[in-house]
Amino acid sequence: DQQVKQNSPSLSVQEGRISILNCDYTNSMFDYFLWYKKYPAEGPTFLISISSIKDKNEDGRFTVFLNKSAKHLSLHIVPSQPGDSAVYFCAAINNAGNNRKLIWGLGTSLAVNP
Amino acid sequence: ETGVTQTPRHLVMGMTNKKSLKCEQHLGHNAMYWYKQSAKKPLELMFVYSLEERVENNSVPSRFSPECPNSSHLFLHLHTLQPEDSALYLCASSRRTPRVPTYNEQFFGPGTRLTVL
């Protein structure tokens, strides 16, 4: 049973527009969430994170929103650029628990078209 | 370039072969990880080493044998693998907090694409 779900396997966006990648989780004990970005033939690269005590974290063109009541987070990229085309992974962790490991989603492949 | 390198990048092996995957990190981290990424499955954590001591082994078959001789190097020794073990094997590293590894922000290598015939 997947605890972290990225229900959209792929997303296509026009350059300059907003990209919104979604992630849902089932474990209410998760207290830290991360987004990783992966280009082909490379390992995932950390992008941005958010603690459960916040509902928004912004870093340049990237903003992550957290809705704890809905167990949902989203990554917004504004404006989207062709270089943002990659697979984006959502991951979550329960830092207070005994089994402190990152739980990963399956990823969403983003294509930003010029 | 993330500061984590993996060799080889591609490996094809028969079921009776013995091979090793190598990972090296140049970030001064002291926790290292092996992950497996199979098609249509989330990243699966296999092993965690913190200060060269194995702190986690997630029910991985014994045909996978990790080794961490120092905080900069991590190996995954492979022996009598099965075709279903074909996958991308990723190494990662992170800082270690005083008590447990910092799982939060991990730096990944490019991976080794393994094919078992």
Side-chain angles (χ1 to χ4, degrees):
Chain A
D1 181 37
Q2 274 186 260
Q3 296 184 63
V4 176
K5 300 177 185 178
Q6 294 177 257
N7 292 319
S8 298
S10 62
L11 175 68
S12 183
V13 170
Q14 208 63 30
E15 180 179 5
R17 308 292 285 265
I18 184 171
S19 295
I20 301 177
L21 297 104
N22 294 304
C23 178
D24 296 293
Y25 60 96
T26 58
N27 187 345
S28 57
M29 300 302 293
F30 288 144
D31 55 9
Y32 199 76
F33 304 87
L34 304 92
W35 285 94
Y36 279 79
K37 173 180 177 180
K38 183 180 185 301
Y39 291 118
E42 294 183 14
T45 303
F46 171 73
L47 189 58
I48 192 170
S49 62
I50 188 167
S51 165
S52 60
I53 62 173
K54 296 187 176 182
D55 54 19
K56 177 183 174 181
N57 188 25
E58 190 172 352
D59 183 3
R61 297 185 296 114
F62 301 91
T63 303
V64 56
F65 295 91
L66 175 63
N67 182 336
K68 287 193 294 293
S69 61
K71 295 194 184 70
H72 176 83
L73 63 155
S74 59
L75 175 67
H76 293 213
I77 306 174
V78 183
S80 301
Q81 299 173 354
D84 296 327
S85 298
V87 178
Y88 289 79
F89 292 96
C90 173
I93 188 170
N94 171 13
N95 273 309
N98 291 326
N99 190 5
R100 297 175 67 254
K101 63 179 181 180
L102 280 173
I103 307 298
W104 297 77
L106 286 173
T108 296
S109 178
L110 173 66
V112 180
N113 306 308
Chain B
E1 179 61 46
T2 63
V4 181
T5 58
Q6 289 186 244
T7 53
R9 295 294 306 273
H10 299 272
L11 177 63
V12 179
M13 60 187 287
M15 290 193 288
T16 58
N17 292 158
K18 288 184 183 180
K19 297 285 184 184
S20 296
L21 310 184
K22 179 183 176 183
C23 175
E24 184 173 357
Q25 59 95 3
H26 312 277
L27 300 168
H29 291 161
N30 45 22
M32 296 187 78
Y33 313 78
W34 279 116
Y35 282 89
K36 176 183 179 182
Q37 185 175 32
S38 305
K40 302 191 189 308
K41 286 187 174 181
L43 272 172
E44 301 172 57
L45 181 64
M46 300 174 73
F47 301 104
V48 181
Y49 275 83
S50 174
L51 293 179
E52 299 131 50
E53 180 184 347
R54 190 189 311 178
V55 296
E56 198 155 333
N57 175 351
N58 288 294
S59 304
V60 180
S62 59
R63 56 186 184 269
F64 295 92
S65 173
E67 178 190 1
C68 186
N70 55 63
S71 60
S72 299
H73 294 87
L74 184 65
F75 295 89
L76 187 63
H77 303 299
L78 314 173
H79 176 53
T80 59
L81 295 192
Q82 305 297 311
E84 60 264 28
D85 297 322
S86 299
L88 180 68
Y89 289 84
L90 290 160
C91 172
S93 70
S94 72
R95 291 182 299 109
R96 179 185 180 274
T97 61
R99 271 198 319 120
V100 293
T102 301
Y103 288 88
N104 295 350
E105 293 177 18
Q106 296 172 22
F107 292 76
F108 285 82
T112 295
R113 174 67 63 186
L114 173 68
T115 302
V116 181
L117 301 176

